[in-house]
Amino acid sequence: DFLHALEEIVPAFGASTYDLERCRLNGIVDCGERHKHIYQRAMLLVEQVKVSKGSPLVTCLLEGPGGSGKSAMAATIGIDSDFPYVKIISAESMIGLSESTKCAKIVKVFEDAYRSQLSIIVLDDIERLLEYVPIGPRFSNLISQTLMVLLKRLPPKGKNMLVIGTTSEAGFLESLGICDAFSVTYHVPTLDKQDAKKVLQSLNVFADDDIDSAAEAVHNMPIKKLYMLVEMAAQGAEGGSSEAIYSGKQKMDINHFFDILGDIVSLRG
Amino acid sequence: DFLHALEEIVPAFGASTYDLERCRLNGIVDCGERHKHIYQRAMLLVEQVKVSKGSPLVTCLLEGPGGSGKSAMAATIGIDSDFPYVKIISAESMIGLSESTKCAKIVKVFEDAYRSQLSIIVLDDIERLLEYVPIGPRFSNLISQTLMVLLKRLPPKGKNMLVIGTTSEAGFLESLGICDAFSVTYHVPTLDKQDAKKVLQSLNVFADDDIDSAAEAVHNMPIKKLYMLVEMAAQGAEGGSSEAIYSGKQKMDINHFFDILGDIVSLRG
Amino acid sequence: DFLHALEEIVPAFGASTYDLERCRLNGIVDCGERHKHIYQRAMLLVEQVKVSKGSPLVTCLLEGPGGSGKSAMAATIGIDSDFPYVKIISAESMIGLSESTKCAKIVKVFEDAYRSQLSIIVLDDIERLLEYVPIGPRFSNLISQTLMVLLKRLPPKGKNMLVIGTTSEAGFLESLGICDAFSVTYHVPTLDKQDAKKVLQSLNVFADDDIDSAAEAVHNMPIKKLYMLVEMAAQGAEGGSSEAIYSGKQKMDINHFFDILGDIVSLRG
Amino acid sequence: DFLHALEEIVPAFGASTYDLERCRLNGIVDCGERHKHIYQRAMLLVEQVKVSKGSPLVTCLLEGPGGSGKSAMAATIGIDSDFPYVKIISAESMIGLSESTKCAKIVKVFEDAYRSQLSIIVLDDIERLLEYVPIGPRFSNLISQTLMVLLKRLPPKGKNMLVIGTTSEAGFLESLGICDAFSVTYHVPTLDKQDAKKVLQSLNVFADDDIDSAAEAVHNMPIKKLYMLVEMAAQGAEGGSSEAIYSGKQKMDINHFFDILGDIVSLRG
Amino acid sequence: DFLHALEEIVPAFGASTYDLERCRLNGIVDCGERHKHIYQRAMLLVEQVKVSKGSPLVTCLLEGPGGSGKSAMAATIGIDSDFPYVKIISAESMIGLSESTKCAKIVKVFEDAYRSQLSIIVLDDIERLLEYVPIGPRFSNLISQTLMVLLKRLPPKGKNMLVIGTTSEAGFLESLGICDAFSVTYHVPTLDKQDAKKVLQSLNVFADDDIDSAAEAVHNMPIKKLYMLVEMAAQGAEGGSSEAIYSGKQKMDINHFFDILGDIVSLRG
Amino acid sequence: DFLHALEEIVPAFGASTYDLERCRLNGIVDCGERHKHIYQRAMLLVEQVKVSKGSPLVTCLLEGPGGSGKSAMAATIGIDSDFPYVKIISAESMIGLSESTKCAKIVKVFEDAYRSQLSIIVLDDIERLLEYVPIGPRFSNLISQTLMVLLKRLPPKGKNMLVIGTTSEAGFLESLGICDAFSVTYHVPTLDKQDAKKVLQSLNVFADDDIDSAAEAVHNMPIKKLYMLVEMAAQGAEGGSSEAIYSGKQKMDINHFFDILGDIVSLRG
Ligand SMILES: Nc1ncnc2c1ncn2[C@@H]1O[C@H](COP(=O)(O)OP(=O)(O)OP(=O)(O)O)[C@@H](O)[C@H]1O
Ligand SMILES: Nc1ncnc2c1ncn2[C@@H]1O[C@H](COP(=O)(O)OP(=O)(O)OP(=O)(O)O)[C@@H](O)[C@H]1O
Ligand SMILES: Nc1ncnc2c1ncn2[C@@H]1O[C@H](COP(=O)(O)OP(=O)(O)OP(=O)(O)O)[C@@H](O)[C@H]1O
Ligand SMILES: Nc1ncnc2c1ncn2[C@@H]1O[C@H](COP(=O)(O)OP(=O)(O)OP(=O)(O)O)[C@@H](O)[C@H]1O
Ligand SMILES: Nc1ncnc2c1ncn2[C@@H]1O[C@H](COP(=O)(O)OP(=O)(O)OP(=O)(O)O)[C@@H](O)[C@H]1O
Ligand SMILES: Nc1ncnc2c1ncn2[C@@H]1O[C@H](COP(=O)(O)OP(=O)(O)OP(=O)(O)O)[C@@H](O)[C@H]1O
Ligand SMILES: [Mg+2]
Ligand SMILES: [Mg+2]
Ligand SMILES: [Mg+2]
Ligand SMILES: [Mg+2]
Ligand SMILES: [Mg+2]
Ligand SMILES: [Mg+2]
């Protein structure tokens, strides 16, 4: 059955490179100073964990709007750390499991990590791990208790660990008391006009004259949505123009781009 | 038993043409520009999924009042896509199942689709899949979590997928955060006077003089209710006139039509 | 045990004449234009189902105060339809069963009906099927979801079905969204002065001079309560006069009738 | 175990005289017109059930404050009816049972009664059968649904039944919709000054001069509490005087009587 | 396991003297008129139960702030009654048991008592038996229903019973309707200045000059807290003085006594 | 499995020195008068328990903001008591267990302790033991009831026990009524400017000129957060300076220290 199938994808030990790489399907491009600053600070925590004697457990939360690049950032830190044990815990690999089975799986990852000298665990999309919905609100208290204990429990003597959490529901985690359980929290922002321009330039699908107005129009959009928007618009009004545009033979029709942008923002505007 | 019987109706693979065709029992007639526009945009998404390399998963939500033609539209897109795997997930085939069995069935459809190069999955009547009632409100959080994860989970390398959701409870999905999980949302409207006239003309049961006043009277009615209304009225005040009317031998009695319309709207008016 | 015993009473197929007849223990008398109008319209729906090609499923809700004659009306339509499959689904035959067993039984009736060319299903006292209490309110969401799906699910090709629901809690069904699931809704009223007079005349237990003041006094009473009231009063202040009154040898003492009426309405007045 | 033991006390058939007699441990004394009127009306219902052809089920609710004599009245009606099947359903015989077992036991009593030509079932302390507490409020919806269905379900052809309910929480039953399920409701009152005097006279423990002031002091007290109060006071301030008082050798000390009365009403006063 | 171990401590029959004595670890000293009055009235109830013919069940509730001496009082009444069956039901002996097991144990004690001519059952700390917390509030309705039924259920013919309840949450019991189920309720108070002085004198650890100011300072303290406070203060600021003080060799340092008192009341003050 | 693994870490008897020592990973330094005062008073309770005859159970609650040193203090008292049985009950050793298993484990520790002449039990992070979240709020009533009973249950004759609780949610425990169950409560504070200076001096990583401004900046910070902050800052802006700083070869860059401080307080500021 499917649960069995899922099981197989999850190796018990070691850095799961495939999982980490899937978190940054559009690669990592320069998208402004604020993203870069967070990355650098997080790499200092990696260093601290490597050398620390007094505090074997350091925890860090990346919070920000949906699609702002939190998971890609966390995965990148994990990859760049070169730690022997790097693991991402995400709701994707636990679909349909009961609360207690999810807890057991989460605890298992920590127990495995405790055997490694140095380890990084990414708790991706914590609100999803907690099965959170704003109506009620409802969430799994079993899992939230487990996380709160794990975020405080020290690894055994001689083992050091960095835990990186990501969430787009910082307010909810705050009200649970989970935010306070992290040593430090960073806000991963949407793109401002300058950031967006950088990303659009790296994509190289707009005419030079259009790029500023395009960047202005997508001001405050998260990076993941920007990638989706560009790809939708690249089909053209009649379809079929995508290959020409990505290969550079043709430039994006800026009016069609604005039309598609209108479709996307209308409901929420 | 009946669960076993239901089971048999659901083939594990391939496009389920019978299910899709049942969604448009009254066929597809021209009912105005707004319906047509949505259809065209959705077909661009089909095209995008066909050629995309960067984003293997595109998701689209059709929302609008009950009977406005969402399911028929989604089924039509599925049929017209010519994708090897097209599947509709609806509450009809899961009556009486437990939440977790429903989840497993939904996940199973996605897992099956992941094996196909190109696939379309229709999540029909999402509020019904979620077992939603406005009192409380109550709904299945297990299923809502499953959908939120599936709407973000990428298919394996090299497989592309389009997910089309339909709902008449957009406000509820919005408050759950499920709307935001879709790449784009389209509003499927009721019929305005012009749209209704087109549909009534295609039915050809009114006298030419009556068609305008009939269209005016049903202004803002969803297309599915209009079909039901016409059929109820076609029986005539004494019954028995339906065959004559549909075969064109006799025209609809416009006063009886208004009477029946009165019965239908009185309670909700 | 008793569940087993109940089981035996419920035949799997065919019109359950005994059940239908029990719904109109006091027969069907003329009780005014409004009741008659609903009956006629409902019989048009029966006709529509017989001849329809486009819409294999027609649904109709009878709502009104407790005792206004909804169940008797629905049973009468079922009996008068001459359809091969007529079945009443009521809470009486499902006392003490779990929600899911009730669902399975309801679904079973629909599945059986799908095998018949023409069928009528009466969902009697929907609020009771839903285990509704106003405090909370509480109700079975499992059953409400099942009904909402069944009220939309089309019978297989070539089979046509009429579903008649009855309820004295229209407001509750409205707020669940179940009212909207019906094609049309009719309000079954209490008796006004004229209606009550007709019923009392058919009973023939009052002196001619008393019948108008009696009818006036029971203005707005549902028909079922009127029958109970007359029978209680017929015992006389000292008891024992009932036979004489029903056989016509003696007339009802109008003052005692008013006394008993006072007992009945005092608490709720 | 104790459940087994309870079981044995409950005979499956026939009038349970011991249970009925236990409900009126202090006998039945004349306590005023209002109690007598209810008794007489209820005996008319007994008569109606005996002769009725049209309505095989009559239901009657006795409501009033705790201790006002409802259970004793219901038991008396049962005893005086001379029906072959008279049964009291009370929470006492179902302590610690699960909701569904309670339902089954209640249904069992009705099923047994259906086999008898004439039967009376007393639903004693309905709020206790429903496991009601005002905080929340909480109650068993399973049992409340069962009662609502049983109060409407007709006995088989040729069998007639009277159901008498008692409750001191009429407001709660009203809000559940259970009150409306009864054909008629009577309010069993506390004792007014005259009523109390009658009861005290029949006890014959006060000096003639004291009886009026005693009756005045207990104005509005339910009869059961009055019996308890008198017995407590009869011990005397030093204890030991009870036998002398009940045997008539000594009269009640009216001041001690008022003291004890003060203890009882202080908290609730 | 521990449940088994607990089991052994609880003998099935007879007065459990050890349990009763543990309730008054600091003995019973004279602590004022109000305590004494309650004791005397309760002993009258003991007498009433001994001689009563009419009312085989008498129930009495002792309510008051935490530590005011309710359990010690109830135990004392039990001991002084010389009844053959005296039993205390407390949450201590039911830690970790399920609601239904607790119910069964409680019922068992009553069933055992019913076999005794005369019996006393102490329901100690009813709010704890009910698993009450003010947040929500939450409590076991199963147990509350069981108690409400047991408080009304008459013992078999010829057996008489006194039930004494204790609680520090009278308001909660009132709102459940449990208070009304008791025949009479007494309020066990904290100590006023005079009462406290009596208790301190009997302890004999203060200098004569200090005793009034000490008594004044602990005005309105429950007796159990006063014992704890004195013992804490008796250690002295540096520790080690306790033996000297209790043996009378040294007097309590009044300033240190006030310091410790300050620690205790600060948070709640 | 992991539960089994956890099991092994928990010895059934005796002082668990390893557990206690882990609670004070940064040792115990002088951090001001207020901390010292609490320690001294608690050691008086240890003494009281040693010599008490009247009150075999003394209970004490340490409450204060997260990281203020409650667990380290409790562990230190346990270690310094030299009692034969000292045990810490914390959520860490019960991750993923069911409520009832947790209860059984907690009761087991008490039962074990009852066999020891003198014992100390630390209930660490009571809100975590109760699985508390502020949303709702939700918590385990089973565990809260168990704790409330255990905090009142006397050890067997001749055995004396001290229970120390810690919590950072005093308000919540207050509203549960758990605070009142403790004999005395102490508030463990954050560091004021003077306290912080003492801690920073003992760390010896700042230049003498910077230590005052550093202490001022961290005014009102709990001691545990201060240790974390210093270690994060010690890495330096470029990383790699930590060893030099802790070995004394280099002093902390005060500006970088303020930057890192800004990261930590920004969200909550
Ligand atoms: N500098 C960057 N930082 C982060 N992401 C980047 C960057 N450059 C490109 N990306 C791309 O942007 C996308 C960021 O999406 P990601 O899933 O990380 O967002 P997210 O904040 O985790 O979204 P969600 O809230 O839905 O979980 C990825 O596809 C990634 O490859
Ligand atoms: N252009 C059209 N678009 C959609 N539906 C059409 C069109 N022309 C005719 N129809 C008919 O209108 C009906 C639309 O009903 P459909 O079930 O799709 O509505 P819906 O919005 O899904 O309703 P619900 O909210 O109840 O699920 C179908 O019977 C379909 O055959
Ligand atoms: N014309 C009529 N229409 C309906 N009922 C009639 C008519 N004439 C007589 N009756 C009698 O009136 C009674 C109507 O009761 P019925 O149970 O149908 O009411 P109801 O509205 O279903 O009540 P409830 O709300 O309690 O379910 C029946 O006994 C029926 O025999
Ligand atoms: N005329 C009377 N009617 C009713 N009860 C009477 C009468 N005369 C004496 N009694 C005595 O009064 C008592 C009435 O108590 P009963 O248990 O019937 O009250 P209740 O209203 O059912 O109380 P509760 O609300 O607690 O169930 C009985 O002991 C009964 O013997
Ligand atoms: N006259 C007295 N009455 C009651 N208790 C007394 C008296 N004299 C001394 N005591 C002592 O006072 C203490 C009273 O504590 P007790 O446990 O009875 O209080 P409580 O009200 O039951 O407390 P809680 O609300 O915590 O259950 C006992 O230790 C008892 O020995
Ligand atoms: N005098 C002291 N008192 C307490 N802790 C001290 C002291 N000196 C140093 N410390 C250190 O400070 C830290 C206090 O952290 P601790 O875990 O005890 O705080 P806490 O209040 O229990 O936190 P939490 O609320 O998160 O449970 C420990 O690392 C301990 O070694
Ligand atoms: Mg993410
Ligand atoms: Mg649809
Ligand atoms: Mg009906
Ligand atoms: Mg009663
Ligand atoms: Mg007590
Ligand atoms: Mg701590």
PDB file of all heavy atoms in Angstrom, chain A residues 67 69-72 124-125 166 224, chain B residues 152, ligand 7:
ATOM      1  N   GLY A  67       5.856  30.940   0.296  1.00  0.00           N
ATOM      2  CA  GLY A  67       6.622  31.079  -0.934  1.00  0.00           C
ATOM      3  C   GLY A  67       7.780  32.041  -0.860  1.00  0.00           C
ATOM      4  O   GLY A  67       8.437  32.326  -1.876  1.00  0.00           O
ATOM      5  N   GLY A  69      10.664  31.625   0.371  1.00  0.00           N
ATOM      6  CA  GLY A  69      11.969  30.989   0.208  1.00  0.00           C
ATOM      7  C   GLY A  69      12.528  30.353   1.458  1.00  0.00           C
ATOM      8  O   GLY A  69      13.716  30.026   1.529  1.00  0.00           O
ATOM      9  N   LYS A  70      11.687  30.101   2.440  1.00  0.00           N
ATOM     10  CA  LYS A  70      12.142  29.548   3.720  1.00  0.00           C
ATOM     11  C   LYS A  70      12.704  28.139   3.580  1.00  0.00           C
ATOM     12  O   LYS A  70      13.767  27.827   4.104  1.00  0.00           O
ATOM     13  CB  LYS A  70      10.984  29.535   4.707  1.00  0.00           C
ATOM     14  CG  LYS A  70      10.336  30.883   4.925  1.00  0.00           C
ATOM     15  CD  LYS A  70       9.070  30.801   5.754  1.00  0.00           C
ATOM     16  CE  LYS A  70       7.957  30.003   5.115  1.00  0.00           C
ATOM     17  NZ  LYS A  70       7.381  30.619   3.905  1.00  0.00           N
ATOM     18  N   SER A  71      11.942  27.287   2.904  1.00  0.00           N
ATOM     19  CA  SER A  71      12.382  25.894   2.788  1.00  0.00           C
ATOM     20  C   SER A  71      13.657  25.811   1.969  1.00  0.00           C
ATOM     21  O   SER A  71      14.585  25.058   2.310  1.00  0.00           O
ATOM     22  CB  SER A  71      11.290  25.051   2.126  1.00  0.00           C
ATOM     23  OG  SER A  71      10.110  25.128   2.877  1.00  0.00           O
ATOM     24  N   ALA A  72      13.726  26.571   0.877  1.00  0.00           N
ATOM     25  CA  ALA A  72      14.934  26.565   0.040  1.00  0.00           C
ATOM     26  C   ALA A  72      16.130  27.039   0.856  1.00  0.00           C
ATOM     27  O   ALA A  72      17.230  26.470   0.776  1.00  0.00           O
ATOM     28  CB  ALA A  72      14.720  27.460  -1.183  1.00  0.00           C
ATOM     29  N   ASP A 124      10.281  21.412   8.625  1.00  0.00           N
ATOM     30  CA  ASP A 124       9.761  22.239   7.544  1.00  0.00           C
ATOM     31  C   ASP A 124       8.261  22.431   7.689  1.00  0.00           C
ATOM     32  O   ASP A 124       7.524  21.462   7.906  1.00  0.00           O
ATOM     33  CB  ASP A 124      10.086  21.586   6.193  1.00  0.00           C
ATOM     34  CG  ASP A 124       9.923  22.572   5.050  1.00  0.00           C
ATOM     35  OD1 ASP A 124      10.149  23.785   5.268  1.00  0.00           O
ATOM     36  OD2 ASP A 124       9.555  22.133   3.933  1.00  0.00           O
ATOM     37  N   ASP A 125       7.823  23.694   7.545  1.00  0.00           N
ATOM     38  CA  ASP A 125       6.386  23.991   7.588  1.00  0.00           C
ATOM     39  C   ASP A 125       5.777  23.479   8.889  1.00  0.00           C
ATOM     40  O   ASP A 125       4.886  22.611   8.892  1.00  0.00           O
ATOM     41  CB  ASP A 125       5.694  23.258   6.417  1.00  0.00           C
ATOM     42  CG  ASP A 125       5.090  24.239   5.433  1.00  0.00           C
ATOM     43  OD1 ASP A 125       4.942  25.421   5.784  1.00  0.00           O
ATOM     44  OD2 ASP A 125       4.770  23.806   4.316  1.00  0.00           O
ATOM     45  N   THR A 166      10.817  26.085   9.892  1.00  0.00           N
ATOM     46  CA  THR A 166      10.245  27.078   8.974  1.00  0.00           C
ATOM     47  C   THR A 166       8.738  27.136   9.200  1.00  0.00           C
ATOM     48  O   THR A 166       8.116  26.135   9.542  1.00  0.00           O
ATOM     49  CB  THR A 166      10.484  26.746   7.482  1.00  0.00           C
ATOM     50  OG1 THR A 166       9.522  25.780   7.038  1.00  0.00           O
ATOM     51  CG2 THR A 166      11.884  26.229   7.224  1.00  0.00           C
ATOM     52  N   LYS A 224       8.550  32.362  -4.842  1.00  0.00           N
ATOM     53  CA  LYS A 224       7.996  31.155  -5.465  1.00  0.00           C
ATOM     54  C   LYS A 224       6.824  31.502  -6.381  1.00  0.00           C
ATOM     55  O   LYS A 224       6.687  30.932  -7.468  1.00  0.00           O
ATOM     56  CB  LYS A 224       7.546  30.172  -4.383  1.00  0.00           C
ATOM     57  CG  LYS A 224       7.239  28.782  -4.933  1.00  0.00           C
ATOM     58  CD  LYS A 224       7.340  27.673  -3.893  1.00  0.00           C
ATOM     59  CE  LYS A 224       6.175  27.633  -2.944  1.00  0.00           C
ATOM     60  NZ  LYS A 224       6.244  26.460  -2.043  1.00  0.00           N
TER      61      LYS A 224
ATOM     62  N   LYS B 152       0.776  20.912  -2.560  1.00  0.00           N
ATOM     63  CA  LYS B 152       2.129  21.465  -2.591  1.00  0.00           C
ATOM     64  C   LYS B 152       3.177  20.427  -2.987  1.00  0.00           C
ATOM     65  O   LYS B 152       4.270  20.787  -3.408  1.00  0.00           O
ATOM     66  CB  LYS B 152       2.503  22.020  -1.199  1.00  0.00           C
ATOM     67  CG  LYS B 152       2.251  23.504  -1.011  1.00  0.00           C
ATOM     68  CD  LYS B 152       2.615  23.957   0.401  1.00  0.00           C
ATOM     69  CE  LYS B 152       4.093  24.363   0.533  1.00  0.00           C
ATOM     70  NZ  LYS B 152       4.370  24.987   1.863  1.00  0.00           N
TER      71      LYS B 152
HETATM   72 MG    MG G   7       8.307  25.806   2.632  1.00  0.00          MG
END
